Amino acid sequence: MDTKDISFVSFGLVVLDEIRFANRKPLINVLGGSGAYGARLFLPSPLSRSLAWPIHIGNDFPDPIAELLHSWDTILVITKESDQPSTRGLLEYQDTTFGPKNFKYTTPVLTIQESKLPGTALLTSKIYHYLATPQDMRTRILNILALRKQAGIQHRPLIIWEPAPLSCKPENLQDCLAVVALVDVFSPNHLELAALFVDTPATPDRTEIETLALKFLASGVGPEGKGTVIIRAGENGCFVRSGNLSKWLPSFHIAGTGEEQAAKVVDPTGAGNAFLGGYSIGYLQTGGDIEQAACYGSVAASFALEQVGMPKRIDGDEELWNGASVLDRLNEYRARQESVGTQGSSS
C-alpha cells in the first residue's frame, strides 16, 4: 500500500487495565486506551492496512494480546522496552451502575515519540488522534508538523485531541484554551469538560455542556477558528459544535429500542477512544461531513460497550464484530436519525 493511503494514526496509549467492580471479581490485562480499534471497525481488510498503529509496550506485554493486535491486519509499529513494564492502569467502579469511577496509572506511562516517525508511513497520515496533556499536546503538534514539512509533505493533517483525563483541572484551562487553536477537533467527555472549569464538579446537564463547549469554540478552535468541539456524554450521546453545526446525537444503544438495547451495555470503558477512531474514518469517508462522522463515532462506541475489552472480530464473506455488521448498524443509526427529523437539535 502506498504511503499516501495512510488514513489514520492514533497516539492514544495502549494500556493494560485492571478493572475492579463492586461485588465482582476484578479483571486483569484488559486492553484499552487507544482510538485505533474504533477506526478499525470501519476498515475491513485490506483497507485495514491504511490504519497505522504505533504502540509502546514493556517486557510484560501478554503474548495473546500481541497476537490479537497482529491479527487485525493493520500497520502495527511496536516499540518494546526490555527493562520496563507496560503501561498499566487501575480502574475502579464505585458502584454497579458503571457511573462513578476512579482511574490511576500503576506503572510509568510509555508514550510514542515523534522521533520514531521519520522514514515511516506514519508521517503521511491524513488524521492523527492524540491523548495528551495540554502541555504535551502543543509540543507534539509542533513536532509532527515540522517533521512532515521536512519530509516535503505539504497538506495539513486533521488533528484530533482527546485531553488526558488526569490533566483536566481548572489550573490547566488556560493552556487548553491556547492549545485548541492548534487542533481541528477537541473532544473531552462531559466530566472532563466540567472538571476544566470547577474542582470536583457535579455531572453537567445538557445546557451546561453546551455552554462550556461554546467557551472553547468562542476562544478559537483550529486554524482560522474553523475547528470542532465534540463532547462525549456517555448514555446521553454526544454534543457536536462547530461554526455552522450545533447538535446532540444520541447513543446507539440507549437511544434505540429501550431495555433490550440498554442491556447490551456491559462496560463503557474505551467507548470514548472508539468514538474518535470511528469519527476519523467517517470524516474521511463522507468528505468531511462532521455530523455524519459523529454517526460513525457513535456506532464505533456501541461496539466498545458490549464487552469488557475489545470487540470480537469474526471473518467471513463480510467482516463482523460481536456478530454484527458495522455498516448495517451504521445504516440503522442513520435511519433512526432521519426518522426523528430535527429532534435532537440544539441551540
Side-chain angles (χ1 to χ4, degrees):
M1 177 170 289
D2 194 297
T3 58
K4 71 177 183 297
D5 294 324
I6 299 301
S7 58
F8 177 78
V9 173
S10 176
F11 289 114
L13 300 174
V14 173
V15 184
L16 298 173
D17 287 329
E18 176 181 346
I19 304 179
R20 295 180 183 173
F21 308 92
N23 304 318
R24 285 175 57 184
K25 185 178 180 180
L27 300 171
I28 61 172
N29 286 341
V30 177
L31 183 63
S34 176
Y37 61 85
R40 176 62 180 81
L41 294 168
F42 292 99
L43 295 172
S45 295
L47 293 176
S48 57
R49 289 190 288 278
S50 74
L51 166 57
W53 193 354
I55 66 173
H56 193 175
I57 62 176
N59 54 17
D60 59 347
F61 199 78
D63 289 339
I65 295 181
E67 292 168 5
L68 172 66
L69 298 182
H70 280 291
S71 76
W72 283 8
D73 195 26
T74 66
I75 298 178
L76 195 63
V77 182
I78 300 176
T79 301
K80 185 172 183 177
E81 302 295 339
S82 61
D83 58 351
Q84 295 182 57
S86 299
T87 303
R88 291 182 177 272
L90 174 61
L91 179 66
E92 295 183 278
Y93 286 106
Q94 297 175 18
D95 56 31
T96 59
T97 66
F98 290 112
K101 60 186 178 182
N102 295 310
F103 176 82
K104 65 179 180 180
Y105 292 110
T106 57
T107 64
V109 174
L110 300 179
T111 60
I112 295 292
Q113 300 301 322
E114 282 77 8
S115 60
K116 304 286 186 180
L117 300 188
T120 73
L122 280 68
L123 204 55
T124 68
S125 181
K126 297 179 179 69
I127 298 180
Y128 293 100
H129 161 247
Y130 289 89
L131 179 94
T133 68
Q135 295 81 9
D136 286 345
M137 191 63 193
R138 174 183 292 278
T139 300
R140 303 196 72 174
I141 294 170
L142 296 177
N143 283 347
I144 194 69
L145 295 179
L147 289 170
R148 287 167 65 96
K149 184 177 180 180
Q150 290 170 14
I153 303 168
Q154 300 301 322
H155 68 277
R156 176 187 162 87
L158 191 82
I159 298 175
I160 297 176
W161 178 32
E162 182 179 356
L166 299 180
S167 72
C168 293
K169 302 174 181 179
E171 56 262 37
N172 287 327
L173 176 59
Q174 292 306 314
D175 284 339
C176 281
L177 289 169
V179 173
V180 294
L182 304 177
V183 307
D184 300 281
V185 178
F186 175 60
S187 183
N189 68 30
H190 61 304
L191 299 175
E192 293 158 357
L193 175 70
L196 282 166
F197 291 88
V198 183
D199 284 314
T200 61
T203 301
D205 60 18
R206 283 192 172 199
T207 299
E208 185 176 3
I209 289 171
E210 293 172 18
T211 299
L212 297 181
L214 186 58
K215 289 181 183 294
F216 276 94
L217 201 71
S219 76
V221 178
E224 301 178 3
K226 296 180 179 179
T228 302
V229 176
I230 302 174
I231 310 302
R232 297 165 282 110
E235 64 183 27
N236 292 312
C238 66
F239 178 60
V240 184
R241 190 72 160 86
S242 67
N244 55 10
L245 178 68
S246 179
K247 187 164 187 177
W248 280 93
L249 291 172
S251 141
F252 177 85
H253 283 312
I254 305 300
T257 55
E259 292 183 3
E260 181 180 352
Q261 288 282 16
K264 292 184 178 180
V265 177
V266 173
D267 179 17
T269 305
N273 300 126
F275 179 99
L276 292 171
Y279 176 92
S280 298
I281 304 307
Y283 185 90
L284 293 176
Q285 293 186 353
T286 63
D289 187 313
I290 294 169
E291 182 176 347
Q292 287 301 312
C295 290
Y296 278 68
S298 298
V299 169
S302 75
F303 284 93
L305 294 168
E306 293 175 349
Q307 68 289 303
V308 177
M310 298 290 192
K312 184 178 181 181
R313 182 170 64 96
I314 303 172
D315 284 325
D317 292 337
E318 179 186 5
E319 188 176 80
L320 301 179
W321 293 85
N322 295 347
S325 162
V326 177
L327 292 183
D328 283 353
R329 188 172 291 188
L330 176 63
N331 290 334
E332 177 186 344
Y333 184 81
R334 284 168 157 170
R336 283 189 215 159
Q337 295 307 104
E338 291 173 1
S339 71
V340 299
T342 58
Q343 290 184 349
S345 294
S346 175
S347 303

